mmCIF file of all heavy atoms in Angstrom:
data_model
loop_
_atom_site.group_PDB
_atom_site.id
_atom_site.type_symbol
_atom_site.label_atom_id
_atom_site.label_comp_id
_atom_site.label_asym_id
_atom_site.label_seq_id
_atom_site.Cartn_x
_atom_site.Cartn_y
_atom_site.Cartn_z
ATOM 1 N N LYS A 102 -10.877 -0.884 -19.230
ATOM 2 C CA LYS A 102 -11.744 -2.052 -19.065
ATOM 3 C C LYS A 102 -13.221 -1.681 -19.217
ATOM 4 O O LYS A 102 -14.101 -2.493 -18.941
ATOM 5 C CB LYS A 102 -11.552 -2.648 -17.659
ATOM 6 C CG LYS A 102 -10.209 -3.269 -17.420
ATOM 7 C CD LYS A 102 -10.001 -3.561 -15.945
ATOM 8 C CE LYS A 102 -10.939 -4.624 -15.416
ATOM 9 N NZ LYS A 102 -10.531 -5.994 -15.686
ATOM 10 N N GLY A 103 -13.475 -0.425 -19.536
ATOM 11 C CA GLY A 103 -14.858 0.034 -19.661
ATOM 12 C C GLY A 103 -15.504 0.340 -18.319
ATOM 13 O O GLY A 103 -16.724 0.415 -18.203
ATOM 14 N N LEU A 104 -14.656 0.527 -17.278
ATOM 15 C CA LEU A 104 -15.184 0.824 -15.939
ATOM 16 C C LEU A 104 -14.807 2.249 -15.532
ATOM 17 O O LEU A 104 -13.817 2.796 -16.021
ATOM 18 C CB LEU A 104 -14.614 -0.162 -14.906
ATOM 19 C CG LEU A 104 -14.911 -1.645 -15.141
ATOM 20 C CD1 LEU A 104 -14.135 -2.505 -14.149
ATOM 21 C CD2 LEU A 104 -16.404 -1.906 -15.029
ATOM 22 N N ALA A 105 -15.580 2.785 -14.593
ATOM 23 C CA ALA A 105 -15.281 4.145 -14.121
ATOM 24 C C ALA A 105 -14.698 4.080 -12.713
ATOM 25 O O ALA A 105 -15.074 3.211 -11.923
ATOM 26 C CB ALA A 105 -16.566 4.960 -14.096
ATOM 27 N N LEU A 106 -13.793 4.993 -12.428
ATOM 28 C CA LEU A 106 -13.406 5.205 -11.022
ATOM 29 C C LEU A 106 -14.369 6.283 -10.525
ATOM 30 O O LEU A 106 -14.208 7.457 -10.825
ATOM 31 C CB LEU A 106 -11.944 5.672 -10.914
ATOM 32 C CG LEU A 106 -11.448 5.943 -9.499
ATOM 33 C CD1 LEU A 106 -11.463 4.667 -8.648
ATOM 34 C CD2 LEU A 106 -10.033 6.532 -9.514
ATOM 35 N N ASN A 107 -15.385 5.864 -9.774
ATOM 36 C CA ASN A 107 -16.428 6.819 -9.404
ATOM 37 C C ASN A 107 -15.947 7.855 -8.402
ATOM 38 O O ASN A 107 -16.419 8.991 -8.401
ATOM 39 C CB ASN A 107 -17.646 6.076 -8.856
ATOM 40 C CG ASN A 107 -18.256 5.180 -9.905
ATOM 41 O OD1 ASN A 107 -17.927 4.003 -10.001
ATOM 42 N ND2 ASN A 107 -19.106 5.732 -10.756
ATOM 43 N N ALA A 108 -14.997 7.459 -7.547
ATOM 44 C CA ALA A 108 -14.414 8.432 -6.617
ATOM 45 C C ALA A 108 -13.040 7.939 -6.195
ATOM 46 O O ALA A 108 -12.844 6.733 -6.004
ATOM 47 C CB ALA A 108 -15.312 8.614 -5.392
ATOM 48 N N GLY A 109 -12.086 8.851 -6.086
ATOM 49 C CA GLY A 109 -10.726 8.482 -5.680
ATOM 50 C C GLY A 109 -10.200 9.473 -4.654
ATOM 51 O O GLY A 109 -10.231 10.686 -4.886
ATOM 52 N N PHE A 110 -9.741 8.957 -3.528
ATOM 53 C CA PHE A 110 -9.350 9.815 -2.412
ATOM 54 C C PHE A 110 -7.885 9.603 -2.047
ATOM 55 O O PHE A 110 -7.371 8.492 -2.142
ATOM 56 C CB PHE A 110 -10.202 9.501 -1.175
ATOM 57 C CG PHE A 110 -11.668 9.503 -1.447
ATOM 58 C CD1 PHE A 110 -12.333 8.313 -1.762
ATOM 59 C CD2 PHE A 110 -12.392 10.683 -1.411
ATOM 60 C CE1 PHE A 110 -13.686 8.307 -2.026
ATOM 61 C CE2 PHE A 110 -13.756 10.687 -1.673
ATOM 62 C CZ PHE A 110 -14.409 9.488 -1.979
ATOM 63 N N SER A 111 -7.272 10.673 -1.568
ATOM 64 C CA SER A 111 -5.894 10.613 -1.081
ATOM 65 C C SER A 111 -5.910 10.705 0.436
ATOM 66 O O SER A 111 -6.657 11.504 1.009
ATOM 67 C CB SER A 111 -5.130 11.800 -1.692
ATOM 68 O OG SER A 111 -3.965 12.072 -0.951
ATOM 69 N N LEU A 112 -5.106 9.870 1.094
ATOM 70 C CA LEU A 112 -5.044 9.907 2.559
ATOM 71 C C LEU A 112 -3.592 10.096 2.987
ATOM 72 O O LEU A 112 -2.737 9.265 2.660
ATOM 73 C CB LEU A 112 -5.589 8.585 3.113
ATOM 74 C CG LEU A 112 -6.086 8.629 4.541
ATOM 75 C CD1 LEU A 112 -7.351 9.479 4.654
ATOM 76 C CD2 LEU A 112 -6.381 7.213 5.044
#
Side-chain angles (χ1 to χ4, degrees):
K102 292 168 66 81
L104 300 173
L106 179 63
N107 297 93
F110 309 94
S111 160
L112 202 68

